[in-house]
Amino acid sequence: MGDGLSERLIKIVRGSASLMTVLTVLRARGLSDALVMSGAVYQTAWNSLTGRPADYGIKDYDVGYFDPDTSYESEDVVIRGVAAGFDEPLRSKVEVRNQARVHLWFEAHFGHAYGEPLTSTAEALTRFVCPAFAIGVRLESDDSVTVAAPFGLDDVFAMRLRPNPLRVPSTDWQRIVTSVTTRWPEAVVDPS
């Protein structure tokens, strides 16, 4: 991942009041291995690239954390605790999930197996449907921003949608592409 693109992304992230609020609250909650992932990050970048307001088109703020306690009850305590840190509209938009549990519910929710259990939050990014979506950020205790992007940031800054080369293409690929390109018609779609 090019250092210049990371620094550019960090500047964009810091320019989004909503995203910085989410990152600040998460840091205060002390969730293990927490990342704000996918849409809230790449869409903020795309809004910056296209001159749209920072929050345009962002439906939610996906938050992953990693806790070896895979009980629903433990995750529910975290979800409720994080929600208590926000006022509306963010309270309704922040969606927190323990990445150590994803393999337990994914197939029932999405109709196909997830694969082996994850060992970290950042590892989850390697399984996202599209490299541009496979991005996460965390606000560290020293106020630095960590960027996790296993496929790099080229697709984010090129506004390129292509299937994740590490997984079978999603059966929902066309629906996903349509949803994204309706909000960001500047996005370039590689053939799937």
Side-chain angles (χ1 to χ4, degrees):
M1 170 169 26
D3 230 23
L5 291 182
S6 292
E7 291 307 313
R8 190 172 169 196
L9 178 67
I10 290 167
K11 184 176 180 183
I12 291 168
V13 166
R14 288 189 185 283
S16 168
S18 297
L19 186 49
M20 286 304 295
T21 297
V22 173
L23 289 167
T24 301
V25 168
L26 291 176
R27 179 178 64 183
R29 293 288 172 195
L31 298 183
S32 175
D33 199 27
L35 290 171
V36 176
M37 306 185 293
S38 198
V41 183
Y42 83 83
Q43 292 168 4
T44 298
W46 287 10
N47 288 337
S48 176
L49 294 172
T50 61
R52 291 180 172 91
D55 295 341
Y56 169 83
I58 297 175
K59 296 177 180 178
D60 56 31
Y61 293 80
D62 291 318
V63 174
Y65 72 100
F66 199 87
D67 183 348
D69 181 345
T70 59
S71 69
Y72 170 79
E73 294 76 16
S74 177
E75 183 181 49
D76 192 52
V77 167
V78 172
I79 291 168
R80 291 175 189 276
V82 169
F86 294 104
D87 293 324
E88 291 298 348
L90 288 176
R91 180 178 292 145
S92 298
K93 289 185 170 190
V94 174
E95 297 184 1
V96 180
R97 296 293 176 263
N98 181 3
Q99 299 305 293
R101 291 191 75 244
V102 175
H103 67 284
L104 300 175
W105 55 262
F106 189 90
E107 186 169 5
H109 189 75
F110 290 105
H112 57 87
Y114 189 69
E116 293 297 314
L118 297 169
T119 60
S120 72
T121 303
E123 183 184 1
L125 300 173
T126 66
R127 300 189 191 180
F128 282 30
V129 68
C130 179
F133 301 174
I135 184 171
V137 293
R138 173 176 43 246
L139 185 63
E140 302 292 354
S141 60
D142 66 357
D143 282 336
S144 65
V145 174
T146 294
V147 175
F151 300 101
L153 295 173
D154 290 343
D155 282 4
V156 173
F157 283 98
M159 297 184 69
R160 181 174 37 246
L161 299 172
R162 63 183 173 102
N164 180 338
L166 300 181
R167 61 172 277 180
V168 174
S170 172
T171 56
D172 283 352
W173 178 250
Q174 194 52 54
R175 181 193 60 76
I176 293 164
V177 165
T178 300
S179 174
V180 172
T181 57
T182 298
R183 289 174 283 159
W184 294 275
E186 301 89 347
V188 176
V189 182
D190 282 3
S192 55

